[in-house]
Amino acid sequence: MKIIKNMFALVLAVALVFSSIITVYAEDNTFGDYTYTVNEDGVSATITSYTGTDTDVVIPDEVGGYTVTAIGAKVFYNNSTIVSVTVPLAVATIEDNNFFSCSNLEEVKGVENLVTIGEHCFGYSKKLTNLPEMNCLESVGAYSFNNCESMTRFHIPKTTSSISYYSFIKNNIMLSMDDDNPYFTCIDGVVYNKNVSKVIKCSCPKTEYTFPDTVSTIGSHAFWYCKLEKINGGANVTTVESYAFAFCSSLESIESLSGLETVKDYAFEFAVTGALDLPKTLKNLSTYALSGCYMNRLIIHNNLSTIPSWSFSDCAYLTDLVIEEGVEKIGDKAFQGCNRLKKVQLPESLISVGSYAFACSLTEVYIPSGITSIGKYAFGYGYNRLNWTYPVKEGYRIFGHTGTAAQAYAESNNISFYDVDTLFSIDALGNSIRVSNPGGLRFGFRINEAILSIESFDNAELGFIYRYGNDASDLFLENVGANGVKKKIADNKTVSNGFSDFNLVFVNIPEQAYDSNVSVRAYAIVNGFVYYSEPITANARDIARAVCSDLEDNSDLKNKIKEIYKI
């Protein structure tokens, strides 16, 4: 029983001790317009609130006999009265949100000995001008100078070892630094790690930036909300971390980052205004990496086998999308909300397309036969960002092959389906010669356009593939540029009685080439699907002989042809 009593006495004593500690250090004391708490050292104090109405505030060096060494959180939060504040030189810490949104605050003095600036400390104090240099400063909290529009400079002393990614955003501050800072290097307003291999933070007002050759990594939030319009160099940059260029809404191009391998989430969100040809070195792309970008054209190469979810969502100005052969998967919502997208050519290598992937402005699409998985609302639906709904696209058309996932998806979603294998064909009409000197050779082709009444045929690409010689075996688009295979876009077509005729003409053929064969076939690209005619091989002199044999009753024309083609 005695043991129990002693134990109870011990517990009670401990409880009383903690109670007294809480009472001492939680109690606010009053000194004029201020309240304060005594710090643990028993000789200094922290200001915890201010109730005065002065426009020019001078915080006392001492309150109640205690030296003021800190200003607590939110002491002047959202205070619209103060114009200037003088802080005691003994103050080492200004805590979170202290001068946040002080709409008329213009000047803060006496901060030369600050060690710590808390999060959001001066944020949205839009009239605040430059602070005195702080030669003891060790850390700058997140968002501490967010939207400080009137500040133009901030000096980082050699003592500073911690700068938040978010410390300087949406402002006009140019950064500078002591050369002997052991943690960072600052060059022309840009902060790097000490050996200049990583960009830490760029000054917001910079509109043009050139990467040092040593930089391989662009750090998280490094250029966040910067006014950048142009970047130069950066061929050695391999990694762009999260939010690095997010909201750089005037950035024209990232073409100079030609060696990129990894782009992390949100890295270029709401940035990049020009056409974007992703580097062929890019291997890893994260979700939301380029969501909301302003580019009008996008090329994705086959070094990316998977286009991640959300990666290009809400790119509201994108009208033209090219996805190279070799890409196999498109993730959920990858192009959701691209509400100006007019056309996309899906590669034959595709295996799967995720849910909502093309919930956008497309009105038709060709779906290759290799796709075996199509997610919910992947095609045939729009996206309304205001209320996050997916309205049905009336009149949507899916082109594909009978018996494939394309047909099954179209039928299950009540979308019109067209079999590209039977939709239309290109017929080779034959060839003819030019009846003027020097000679010429014409190859003619025809499409039955009546079959194409359901197709936006005016946007189709028509052309010819040809080579000099007898070999027509490899006249396909993928061989253009190799082994003498050439390509020519059809300049015009003639439409008559439901047919479209288009010709490839060789003019001013010299006499020594009249016996030289040319092999030609026509092609059409419609909705990303390629159609070919049968190839034709001919030369001018053989055709001239054949024509003459049919001109028994027209000796004048016959003689003219014989004279031109020397037969």
Side-chain angles (χ1 to χ4, degrees), residues 389-438:
T389 58
Y390 297 88
V392 174
K393 302 283 288 188
E394 297 294 336
Y396 200 92
R397 297 172 295 198
I398 288 179
F399 298 84
H401 303 269
T402 300
T404 64
Q407 183 182 23
Y409 177 87
E411 291 176 353
S412 63
N413 287 273
N414 296 315
I415 299 173
S416 298
F417 176 77
Y418 301 98
D419 185 350
V420 296
D421 296 319
T422 60
L423 190 60
F424 73 97
S425 62
I426 307 175
D427 298 322
L429 297 179
N431 36 51
S432 60
I433 54 172
R434 176 179 174 178
V435 188
S436 59
N437 201 359

Side-chain angles (χ1 to χ4, degrees), residues 66-336:
Y66 300 96
T67 302
V68 176
T69 58
I71 304 174
K74 294 189 174 182
V75 171
F76 296 96
Y77 180 85
N78 203 27
N79 187 317
S80 60
T81 302
I82 56 173
V83 175
S84 72
V85 175
T86 300
V87 177
L89 288 173
V91 168
T93 300
I94 300 180
E95 295 183 6
D96 298 351
N97 293 287
N98 205 289
F99 294 102
F100 181 84
S101 193
C102 291
S103 56
N104 289 301
L105 179 63
E106 297 177 1
E107 185 178 24
V108 176
K109 297 178 286 187
V111 293
E112 287 87 344
N113 296 321
L114 271 184
V115 175
T116 302
I117 296 176
E119 294 184 1
H120 299 275
C121 189
F122 297 96
Y124 284 87
S125 292
K126 296 186 177 184
K127 293 184 179 180
L128 179 64
T129 55
N130 300 322
L131 299 176
E133 288 191 7
M134 294 165 276
N135 296 318
C136 302
L137 190 63
E138 294 180 3
S139 65
V140 183
Y143 303 100
S144 50
F145 294 96
N146 182 16
N147 271 285
C148 289
E149 297 175 353
S150 298
M151 288 187 69
T152 58
R153 58 179 173 78
F154 188 89
H155 186 73
I156 302 168
K158 63 183 180 181
T159 53
T160 302
S161 60
S162 175
I163 302 173
S164 169
Y165 295 129
Y166 318 105
S167 298
F168 303 95
I169 60 171
K170 295 184 181 179
N171 56 43
N172 296 307
I173 299 172
M174 283 295 291
L175 301 172
S176 61
M177 179 180 292
D178 284 351
D179 291 338
D180 53 354
N181 184 298
Y183 309 102
F184 305 106
T185 297
C186 186
I187 304 171
D188 191 23
V190 181
V191 179
Y192 306 85
N193 62 345
K194 194 60 185 175
N195 65 0
V196 195
S197 63
K198 181 177 182 177
V199 181
I200 303 297
K201 189 62 189 174
C202 177
S203 297
C204 288
K206 290 182 72 67
T207 58
E208 186 169 350
Y209 168 73
T210 299
F211 286 94
D213 291 340
T214 53
V215 172
S216 60
T217 301
I218 304 172
S220 177
H221 298 82
F223 295 91
W224 197 32
Y225 279 105
C226 281
K227 297 180 175 70
L228 276 183
E229 297 174 3
K230 185 178 182 181
I231 56 175
N232 306 303
N236 295 324
V237 172
T238 59
T239 301
V240 179
E241 295 183 350
S242 302
Y243 294 96
F245 290 92
F247 299 98
C248 290
S249 57
S250 298
L251 182 60
E252 296 173 3
S253 172
I254 60 171
E255 183 179 351
S256 65
L257 301 177
S258 56
L260 275 184
E261 296 178 4
T262 299
V263 176
K264 296 188 178 180
D265 51 307
Y266 300 96
F268 293 97
E269 184 184 34
F270 295 105
V272 189
T273 62
L276 178 57
D277 186 346
L278 289 178
K280 294 182 179 181
T281 53
L282 187 60
K283 301 173 184 176
N284 303 297
L285 188 69
S286 297
T287 56
Y288 294 99
L290 290 113
S291 63
C293 281
Y294 304 104
M295 69 271 187
N296 54 18
R297 176 175 169 79
L298 172 64
I299 302 174
I300 302 173
H301 297 285
N302 56 18
N303 44 292
L304 278 177
S305 61
T306 298
I307 300 173
S309 299
W310 300 93
S311 49
F312 301 96
S313 60
D314 295 311
C315 291
Y317 294 88
L318 182 63
T319 59
D320 189 7
L321 171 62
V322 176
I323 304 174
E324 271 193 356
E325 288 293 336
V327 176
E328 297 179 349
K329 297 179 181 179
I330 298 176
D332 295 345
K333 303 182 181 182
F335 299 96
Q336 173 185 282

Side-chain angles (χ1 to χ4, degrees), residues 549-562:
S549 67
D550 292 333
L551 291 175
E552 295 299 332
D553 299 329
N554 193 337
S555 58
D556 290 341
L557 181 57
K558 183 175 181 179
N559 291 334
K560 185 176 182 180
I561 292 173
K562 285 183 176 181

